């Protein structure tokens, strides 16, 4: 009897590592650049205590899949209800006949695929060694970004910045205990001026990275801006950099690029390219030591679906995975 499988977090958390997510995300964006996807869409809705994102899309390959992710971002959840701040599910279907193959807890996949996409971009855009990594933020995504970048970059040191000094110190200690490279806390300005890879992963709606702090040759992963109004970077950074987006028609609406466009600093046509175009060689990556690149990350369903499909194919025959026959 055919069933829709139900994957809670513990059923796949230990079964994949970051390199698996990097492989799945790279494959998704390669298919995107080749035109082998089912149309992507994004719906954003504000709620009284948070926001919802619904992202849909599919991939067309040897086996084709379509699905959606419905996530709620409620950033007082932890304090108010002892719940994760981001909650949701991913729905995966067989794109040959629409059969619902599986439903997944979404936050782990979201965290890992977001970081994996930054790593894919860094493969092509990272500056020359030595790599000094600056992280602005101290949440789950900050930790995942470090893990992903260590898969593709030879990082010599890490500086971490954030507003809450206690959380910052605790996070830096946790990272320091896990790694064998120098890890220190620092001011925003010092972190930016002394890092040639900078990752911003906060829910900020006001820019906090000054364009004067960015050194020639820097790669910036702008992760936090993924909905209208979110903003981490001075728009002048976008104006003075080469911009690579995950999906161009998303970053001009909800990514860091939205603010540079609204301020008439750039036009949509000034976006250098998309992640899939780097992977397939349609555009060049870094060509000199002085170029500043920004990877404008907004997240896309093709990343979620490719990762969900990877998990489904690997674990679908495991006896401990529950299932339900919706049509019985």
């Amino acid at each position: 009897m055919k069933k829709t499988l139900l994957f809670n977090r513990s059923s796949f958390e230990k079964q994949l590592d970051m390199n698996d997510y990097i492989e799945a995300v790279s494959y998704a964006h390669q298919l995107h650049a080749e035109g082998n996807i089912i149309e992507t869409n994004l719906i954003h809705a504000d709620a009284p205590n948070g926001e919802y994102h619904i992202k849909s899309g599919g991939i067309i390959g040897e086996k084709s899949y379509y699905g959606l992710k419905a996530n709620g971002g409620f950033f007082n959840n932890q304090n108010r209800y002892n719940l994760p701040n981001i909650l949701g599910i991913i729905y995966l279907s067989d794109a040959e006949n629409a059969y619902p193959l599986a439903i997944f807890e979404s936050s782990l996949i979201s965290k890992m695929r977001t970081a994996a996409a930054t790593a894919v971009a860094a493969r092509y855009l990272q500056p020359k060694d030595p790599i000094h990594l600056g992280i602005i933020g101290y949440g789950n995504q900050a930790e995942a970004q470090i893990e992903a970048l260590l898969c593709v970059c030879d990082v010599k040191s890490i500086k971490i910045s954030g507003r809450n000094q206690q959380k910052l110190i605790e996070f830096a200690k946790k990272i320091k205990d896990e790694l064998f490279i120098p890890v220190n806390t620092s001011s925003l300005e010092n972190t930016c001026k002394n890092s040639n890879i900078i990752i911003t992963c906060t829910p900020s709606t006001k820019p906090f990275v000054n364009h004067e702090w960015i050194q020639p040759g820097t790669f910036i992963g702008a992760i936090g801006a993924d909905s209208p109004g979110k903003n981490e970077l001075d728009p002048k950074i976008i104006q003075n950099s080469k911009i690579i987006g995950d999906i161009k028609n998303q970053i001009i609406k909800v990514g860091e690029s939205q603010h540079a466009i609204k301020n008439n600093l750039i036009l949509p046509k000034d976006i250098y390219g998309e992640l899939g175009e780097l992977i397939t060689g349609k555009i060049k990556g870094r060509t000199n030591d002085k170029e500043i690149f920004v990877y404008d990350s907004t997240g896309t369903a093709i990343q979620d679906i490719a990762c969900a499909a990877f998990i489904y194919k690997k674990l679908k025959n495991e006896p401990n995975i529950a299932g339900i026959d919706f049509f019985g």
Side-chain angles (χ1 to χ4, degrees):
M1 176 174 38
K2 200 166 179 63
K3 290 185 176 181
T4 302
L5 301 184
L6 305 175
F7 290 88
N8 63 5
R9 182 184 301 190
S10 62
S11 67
F12 63 90
E13 185 171 18
K14 303 298 185 184
Q15 306 301 317
L16 286 80
D17 63 22
M18 183 60 77
N19 284 304
D20 293 323
Y21 286 95
I22 290 172
E23 178 184 339
V25 167
S26 184
Y27 175 63
H29 282 281
Q30 176 187 332
L31 292 177
H32 180 253
E34 294 168 348
N36 292 318
I37 65 159
I38 301 170
E39 182 181 5
T40 61
N41 281 291
L42 182 153
I43 298 171
H44 171 86
D46 289 319
N49 297 315
E51 61 182 2
Y52 286 98
H53 288 182
I54 299 175
K55 295 175 179 175
S56 62
I59 55 175
I60 301 171
E62 183 177 338
K63 181 73 177 175
S64 299
Y65 301 91
Y66 181 82
L68 63 84
K69 179 175 72 177
N71 260 14
F74 285 64
F75 293 99
N76 290 313
N77 267 6
Q78 190 66 52
N79 293 331
R80 289 182 178 178
Y81 308 112
N82 197 29
L83 288 171
N85 289 339
I86 298 176
L87 290 168
I89 60 170
I90 293 171
Y91 161 82
L92 180 72
S93 75
D94 185 333
E96 295 296 321
N97 54 28
Y99 191 89
L101 298 172
I103 297 171
F104 302 79
E105 187 278 331
S106 70
S107 66
L108 178 61
I109 293 174
S110 294
K111 179 182 81 170
M112 299 294 277
R113 62 80 157 150
T114 300
T118 306
V120 174
R123 274 180 173 165
Y124 300 91
L125 306 176
Q126 64 181 287
K128 67 177 183 180
D129 291 339
I131 300 296
H132 297 289
L133 174 60
I135 300 288
I136 303 172
Y138 37 64
N140 289 333
Q141 188 54 229
E143 185 174 8
Q145 291 284 328
I146 293 170
E147 180 183 355
L149 287 164
L150 289 174
C151 291
V152 298
C153 302
D154 185 12
V155 176
K156 302 299 185 185
S157 70
I158 300 175
K159 284 185 169 59
I160 307 173
S161 300
R163 292 184 300 178
N164 186 310
Q165 199 64 22
Q166 185 59 39
K167 289 183 178 179
L168 178 62
I169 291 169
E170 290 173 359
F171 178 72
K173 183 181 184 306
K174 179 181 180 182
I175 299 302
K176 188 180 297 186
D177 290 345
E178 293 173 354
L179 302 178
F180 296 97
I181 56 178
V183 178
N184 295 289
T185 63
S186 189
S187 68
L188 281 171
E189 181 175 354
N190 189 54
T191 291
C192 293
K193 284 184 173 180
N194 292 283
S195 302
N196 52 5
I197 293 183
I198 299 170
I199 305 298
T200 59
C201 43
T202 76
S204 177
T205 56
K206 293 183 179 179
F208 52 76
V209 178
N210 192 308
H211 75 281
E212 296 176 348
W213 301 343
I214 306 304
Q215 304 303 308
T218 299
F219 167 73
I220 302 172
I223 312 305
D226 60 357
S227 60
K230 283 189 176 180
N231 190 193
E232 298 178 303
L233 306 183
D234 178 344
K236 288 184 179 178
I237 296 174
I238 300 295
Q239 182 184 32
N240 296 318
S241 304
K242 282 187 171 180
I243 309 304
I244 298 291
D246 44 18
I247 303 288
K248 181 178 177 180
N249 64 13
Q250 284 187 187
I251 69 170
I252 63 177
K253 297 174 183 175
V254 300
E256 282 296 333
S257 299
Q258 68 179 293
H259 305 289
I261 291 169
K262 287 176 183 175
N263 287 298
N264 298 313
L265 297 177
I266 66 168
L267 297 171
K269 68 179 181 65
D270 296 323
I271 304 296
Y272 180 60
E274 294 180 317
L275 193 54
E277 294 175 309
L278 277 178
I279 295 166
T280 58
K282 292 184 177 181
I283 59 173
K284 292 182 178 179
R286 181 174 292 279
T287 59
N288 65 65
D289 296 338
K290 302 296 185 183
E291 292 173 302
I292 298 172
F293 282 95
V294 174
Y295 171 56
D296 197 349
S297 171
T298 55
T300 168
I302 62 171
Q303 296 169 349
D304 298 307
I305 298 312
C307 292
F310 190 105
I311 296 166
Y312 176 78
K313 286 185 286 186
K314 182 173 183 178
L315 302 178
K316 65 181 179 179
N317 294 319
E318 292 291 318
N320 62 321
I321 305 298
I324 184 171
D325 178 10
F326 281 115
F327 310 103

